[in-house]
């Protein structure tokens, strides 16, 4: 098995939402050396830096420097090399699965996985992981956990408004929209990080 575990965040241009999610995940998981975080866009503004307002939101949320980010186009190779794929909207998830159907079981929207964290029982998760992971290696347990949760999506109660599973697109919008989008991402990322740590325990 690979000694690392790669999380991929995906939005449209790869200049606002997905790099912000990437940077927050990387910051919160910095003490886990086996975890790598990357991002890409379904219609990337290839080579572009992170949007200035999104950089500001990242800074407010504790990311010291976002200046090195450059947008890149999503492709099949990037998808299939990731262990967990987090789409920022349902449409992004649809495009991901169309590009590579083989990644369906490891692809979630960011908010969907955050919601799964809330309803996943520790005892059940530990039991399932002990059955599925054949070693004590934490990266193997994470890969097993991604598959287990994918098979357990039916426990989620459908949202009254399906649009609530999508992170708002702030590109070329007001500072207020950037703030709302960043708050959505930050809240969901915190839940995802908790879930990752629970799966590694």
């Amino acid at each position: 098995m690979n000694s690392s575990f790669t999380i991929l965040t995906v939005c449209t241009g790869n200049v606002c939402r997905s790099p912000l999610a990437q940077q927050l995940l990387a910051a919160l998981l910095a003490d886990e050396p086996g975890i790598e975080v990357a991002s890409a866009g379904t219609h990337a503004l290839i080579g572009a830096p992170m949007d200035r307002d999104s950089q500001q939101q990242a800074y407010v949320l504790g990311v010291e420097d976002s200046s090195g980010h450059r947008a890149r186009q999503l492709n099949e190779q990037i998808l299939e090399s990731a262990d967990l794929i987090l789409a920022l909207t349902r449409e992004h998830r649809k495009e991901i699965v169309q590009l590579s159907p083989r990644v369906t079981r490891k692809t979630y929207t960011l908010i969907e996985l955050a919601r799964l964290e809330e309803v996943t029982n520790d005892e059940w998760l530990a039991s399932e992981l002990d059955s599925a992971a054949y070693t004590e290696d934490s990266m193997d347990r994470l890969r097993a956990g991604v598959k287990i949760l994918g098979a357990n999506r039916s426990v989620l109660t459908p949202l009254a408004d399906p649009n609530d599973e999508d992170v708002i697109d702030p590109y070329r919008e007001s500072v207020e929209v950037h703030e709302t989008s960043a708050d959505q991402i930050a809240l969901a990322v915190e839940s995802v990080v908790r879930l990752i740590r629970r799966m590694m325990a």
Side-chain angles (χ1 to χ4, degrees):
M1 275 290 187
N2 295 334
S3 59
S4 63
F5 180 90
T6 301
I7 303 170
L8 176 70
T9 62
V10 178
C11 70
T12 305
N14 193 215
V15 293
C16 295
R17 291 169 290 180
S18 59
L20 179 56
Q22 172 193 357
Q23 291 163 17
L24 292 178
L25 283 163
L28 291 173
L29 293 167
D31 59 338
E32 301 291 353
I35 297 180
E36 301 173 357
V37 192
S39 67
T42 56
H43 298 84
L45 302 174
I46 298 171
M50 191 173 176
D51 177 89
R52 185 174 299 177
D53 287 327
S54 292
Q55 284 194 49
Q56 177 60 30
Q57 293 304 314
Y59 181 77
V60 168
L61 291 167
V63 177
E64 293 185 3
D65 186 6
S66 301
S67 62
H69 175 79
R70 293 296 179 270
R72 64 174 182 162
Q73 177 62 37
L74 185 68
N75 59 41
E76 194 172 356
Q77 181 179 358
I78 291 172
L79 286 174
E80 295 186 1
S81 65
D83 296 294
L84 171 62
I85 302 163
L86 298 173
L88 274 291
T89 69
R90 291 164 297 146
E91 182 60 30
H92 296 134
R93 182 178 59 194
K94 179 181 176 181
E95 292 185 62
I96 287 165
V97 172
Q98 287 175 339
L99 182 58
S100 178
R102 286 179 288 188
V103 304
T104 300
R105 290 188 64 187
K106 60 182 180 181
T107 303
Y108 304 80
T109 67
L110 177 65
I111 290 175
E112 176 188 26
L113 191 57
R115 293 178 67 220
L116 274 170
E117 189 274 333
E118 295 174 1
V119 300
T120 299
N121 175 276
D122 273 332
E123 186 175 327
W124 174 86
L125 182 61
S127 174
E128 291 292 314
L129 282 170
D130 288 343
S131 297
Y134 300 109
T135 73
E136 291 300 316
D137 181 82
S138 56
M139 301 300 108
D140 285 349
R141 287 179 70 83
L142 277 179
R143 277 183 280 272
V146 168
K147 294 178 182 178
I148 289 165
L149 291 168
N152 201 42
R153 297 177 204 251
S154 60
V155 301
L156 288 176
T157 302
L159 294 168
D161 183 354
N163 291 322
D164 288 343
E165 199 174 306
D166 298 340
V167 172
I168 297 170
D169 186 0
Y171 184 58
R172 292 183 173 174
E173 297 288 349
S174 67
V175 172
E176 290 75 19
V177 174
H178 276 271
E179 290 173 347
T180 299
S181 180
D183 287 345
Q184 284 183 289
I185 291 169
L187 186 63
V189 161
E190 287 176 1
S191 293
V192 168
V193 168
R194 283 196 299 271
L195 182 58
I196 287 170
R197 293 193 186 282
R198 289 167 62 191
M199 290 192 290
M200 294 176 71

